[in-house]
Amino acid sequence: MGFGFYLGVTLLLSVWATSKCDRVPSGVHMECRDRHFMIAIDLSFAGSEPHFEAVDRTGAYTITEQYAAECGYSLMVLPLLGHVELRASYFSCHTDNKADELFTFNFNLLVNHEGKPVTHALNKTCSPSLRWSPREVTCEVNYMEVSVRREVACVSETNKDVWNAAFKPAYSSFPSPWQVMFQKDGELLTPMNLSDARKQGYVINLTDGRLVLRTAYGQPESFSVEVNGVPVELVHATLLSRQSWLVFMVDLVVACSMHEGLFDRGYIMWETPEALYPSLDSTQISVGLNGELMMQSVAEERGYIVDNRNTTVHISIPYNADGGYRKSLVSGELYEYYILHLYVEQTSQKKDNIDTRLRFHGTLVTPLLLHPVFTENRTVLEDHTFTVYLGDVPEDVKLAAVHVNGHLTNASVHTIVKVVQPNNTHGYTLKVPFDDPVVIQQFSKENATLLYRLDIDYTLTVEPENNTFYHVASVTALTDISPPAFYGLCYESGIGFKLDHRPFDYLWEISVGTDLLTSELAAQHGYILSNDSQSLLLNVPLFTHGYQYSNVTLKGFFATFEILVRDRETSAVQSSTVKTCPFPTTELIMCSTDGRMTAVVDLSLAILSGGSPGRTSLIDNKCGPKEADGTRALFSFPVSSCGSIIKLAKEYVTYENEIFFSQKLPFKKNPVDSNHDEDGIKLQCTYPLAGLHRLFSVYKFESDTIGIGRIVHPEHFTEGSQSTTTELTTMPTTRRITRPVSLRLAYHPPAQYFKVSRFLKKLSKKGPVPS
Ligand SMILES: *[C@@H]1O[C@H](CO)[C@@H](O)[C@H](O)[C@H]1NC(C)=O
Ligand SMILES: *[C@@H]1O[C@H](CO)[C@@H](O)[C@H](O)[C@H]1NC(C)=O
Ligand SMILES: *[C@@H]1O[C@H](CO)[C@@H](O)[C@H](O)[C@H]1NC(C)=O
Ligand SMILES: *[C@@H]1O[C@H](CO)[C@@H](O)[C@H](O)[C@H]1NC(C)=O
Ligand SMILES: *[C@@H]1O[C@H](CO)[C@@H](O)[C@H](O)[C@H]1NC(C)=O
Ligand SMILES: *[C@@H]1O[C@H](CO)[C@@H](O)[C@H](O)[C@H]1NC(C)=O
Ligand SMILES: *[C@@H]1O[C@H](CO)[C@@H](O)[C@H](O)[C@H]1NC(C)=O
Ligand SMILES: *[C@@H]1O[C@H](CO)[C@@H](O)[C@H](O)[C@H]1NC(C)=O
Ligand SMILES: *[C@@H]1O[C@H](CO)[C@@H](O)[C@H](O)[C@H]1NC(C)=O
Ligand SMILES: *[C@@H]1O[C@H](CO)[C@@H](O)[C@H](O)[C@H]1NC(C)=O
Ligand SMILES: *[C@@H]1O[C@H](CO)[C@@H](O)[C@H](O)[C@H]1NC(C)=O
């Protein structure tokens, strides 16, 4: 594909008022190059429409597009470099030339500063270190220039016929000033005098030592040829003068490759014929960018390839070579192109001397190349956060906005971090937690999976044009879903459970034992249940239904409550949350499923009558407390041992025992008086008969449920009615004793007073042995 354009050689017209200042402003850079002055004006300094005037003794001349091409100036706006560049040939019209060795370029820079026109009068003097060779050719972006040493300008032998033809007009006019005769496609055109030639756009000048011809491209007198497929533009002029009887003729040929460049497999390629100026021994090529040549070794290192094939020089430069310029462009998608300001020197040697030096300036542009940005899913499931990297974002592209599932990202919850890469690209890492409200969740019950989904829409802009394009990405993450898990907390008065709702939690149900947790169940058992859209809170007061107690000592005990999570369909337990908390002991009784009665009993009243809790015992006076302090005693024994009385009701069996102050002194004042069971401190465990089926089959005490325990203090020391059998709470006792008055204790008759079937009696003997 052919391409090639030079960036706007700006047409500069000037109608400027003048207000001069003479020092070199900081936005102006002036350099001496081998064959030209290079003036670079920062765009920020130059403003929108800078103008230049070339200045010499005769006045100031505005450098317009046409004037530039005729007079040896090249003016380019290079937005990617951020400056306006003016190149002036050392032979440009208004450059002061001292013996072809010292060149001074005076010019005015006219800019608009804050609305006011300002003229900066500037100058640069250069003395090129490179010796002028017999023939110097410059193929600039807007003109061709050739200069030859005056003494070598001669008539070539091969063109004798042409010269003879030319001779006549030169000979006929008398006396003759210099005439110029162009030759096009082998034909001689009518000669013209130099002022006419100047009007036609040709500048022909004589310096101290050289003859200069300059012309814009595409003049009527120019012609094009193809040299091995490479287009070449040529201007062939013959200067004639007859002085006295001598005729001077100078042949001036300027030829430049018009190759526009090719883009091939990552290279920008430019071609020029090896022998634009034939009849020389060898040619040498040097390549560079931006008006400066580089050493061959440097060029090779940077991947430049210079190749002479089939008498054509092929120069290949990696499209993204250092010194080139890259630009992003939006056309639906993101594209980029590269611009190289190619600079080539071609020299022809004749023995050891350089005969011809040709300099070529060209601007080569790649076609539009697709530059896709990409996204990479860098999510790590364990982090529970989407991590998505947007990469290959060029330098001149900025991230303007990110929408996730249609919502603009919120910097306080989503993080976007810019990552700079060494290859002049950058990227952005976006993080969005899975549980962010914008994340779409799709759960599959069959697969027990939860799919998180994030559709990302990146809005990117190309600067400085501010053109927008979009990049979309979609990431998902699949996680196994787990049954809900409660968080348990110990309170002074019980155990609390907290569950944060997840959208898919309806797949499970929550139960306490076999009972489904509902507000009705909570009300029935005295649980405090609160449930809103965010979370469920269950507060289970101590001693309510469902607790299990362990490690009872006088100091304290452990209470355990368990919440089960069941599959809603099969009711199979999927998980459970068990929370055990320590509580201080005051007074309590527990009746375990394996038939053990454990009780901490407040005996302060008994103490009043002169006893000590350590010296108490149960009905069987061999059964004493396991532990005792100043006011309390801890008993623990199998329900049917230690002389327990078994009371059988229709649906319940109650094991009852009683606390005596001592072996000798029962915990009663007057045993004779005592026909009132109620008068002693009684310990009772009541089990539903239905749950005791094993007792009847394998004679082993094993209840399906724990028993209901009660500590019954003598009537007149208690509040409320201890004889009621309503309750069915696990632990009916807290401190019931309010005012100790006196102890009226009754002797309790032994168990055989009750009618217990032989069968049950037998069982009670087989019951667990006291530990
Ligand atoms: C021709 O050259 C002389 C001396 O170098 C210079 O003063 C003059 O301006 C030049 N004229 C043109 C048209 O280049
Ligand atoms: C060239 O510019 C310098 C300031 O940079 C100034 O001092 C000098 O006078 C100028 N020369 C001419 C010939 O304008
Ligand atoms: C150049 O030639 C034109 C006619 O072709 C003539 O009018 C003009 O005067 C000549 N100029 C000079 C300087 O001889
Ligand atoms: C060399 O150039 C000639 C003329 O353009 C062409 O016919 C020939 O194929 C070229 N050879 C190679 C190897 O490119
Ligand atoms: C961003 O998130 C914070 C915290 O969630 C919230 O307070 C704020 O309103 C959000 N801002 C926008 C623009 O959504
Ligand atoms: C730039 O470097 C990054 C990180 O090494 C890489 O992922 C990316 O593909 C590179 N881009 C280009 C255009 O070379
Ligand atoms: C469950 O998994 C099967 C097989 O992997 C798949 O075809 C199906 O779409 C999944 N169902 C859902 C709701 O994701
Ligand atoms: C870029 O364009 C957007 C809309 O296309 C506009 O809102 C914004 O202000 C522009 N920014 C600049 C710096 O021009
Ligand atoms: C993104 O990465 C996660 C974690 O490696 C993976 O499970 C998921 O399938 C990926 N998603 C996509 C759309 O690539
Ligand atoms: C709690 O509320 C959620 C919805 O807010 C409901 O799905 C759930 O069934 C409720 N749970 C109980 C135990 O009431
Ligand atoms: C109860 O006591 C037993 C034996 O001393 C011990 O192994 C266990 O950890 C205790 N339970 C709690 C909840 O501390």
Side-chain angles (χ1 to χ4, degrees), residues 176-188:
S176 151
W178 283 99
Q179 300 265 312
V180 61
M181 191 163 57
F182 290 99
Q183 208 184 120
K184 183 177 179 179
D185 299 326
E187 277 179 42
L188 285 171

Side-chain angles (χ1 to χ4, degrees), residues 284-287 294-302 304 306:
Q284 277 261 292
I285 300 283
S286 300
V287 186
M294 62 179 73
M295 307 259 292
Q296 194 186 340
S297 58
V298 175
E300 278 170 8
E301 201 177 286
R302 296 188 182 177
Y304 291 31
V306 178

Side-chain angles (χ1 to χ4, degrees), residues 177 193 195-196:
N193 59 32
S195 59
D196 277 352

Side-chain angles (χ1 to χ4, degrees), residues 1 7 15 19 49 104 115 138 144 246 256 271 280 283 328 359 362 408 447 553 638 647 699 709:
M1 158 174 188
L7 286 174
V15 219
S19 72
E49 282 180 58
T104 302
T138 299
M144 302 188 277
L246 280 176
C256 291
E271 296 173 5
L280 299 170
T283 63
S328 296
R359 299 270 176 145
L408 194 63
N447 299 351
T553 66
K647 293 178 175 176
Y699 310 127

Side-chain angles (χ1 to χ4, degrees), residues 78 134 150 241 297 338 355 382 477 492-493 641 659 699 751 761:
L78 305 173
R150 283 166 78 156
S241 175
S297 58
Y338 289 81
D355 177 79
E382 288 69 32
E492 207 173 311
S493 59
S641 68
I659 300 172
Y699 310 127
K761 260 177 150 178

Side-chain angles (χ1 to χ4, degrees), residues 336-392:
E336 62 182 3
Y337 60 88
Y338 289 81
I339 298 175
L340 296 182
H341 295 294
L342 180 68
Y343 189 42
V344 175
E345 184 196 64
Q346 190 176 9
T347 52
S348 307
Q349 305 269 133
K350 202 181 216 174
K351 302 223 171 77
D352 286 339
N353 296 317
I354 288 175
D355 177 79
T356 298
R357 185 189 304 277
L358 184 146
R359 299 270 176 145
F360 171 88
H361 293 265
T363 297
L364 304 176
V365 184
T366 64
L368 288 184
L369 309 171
L370 204 57
H371 180 108
V373 296
F374 69 89
T375 36
E376 190 178 294
N377 174 14
R378 295 186 176 171
T379 305
V380 175
L381 282 181
E382 288 69 32
D383 295 348
H384 261 249
T385 299
F386 280 115
T387 305
V388 182
Y389 178 74
L390 171 72
D392 261 6

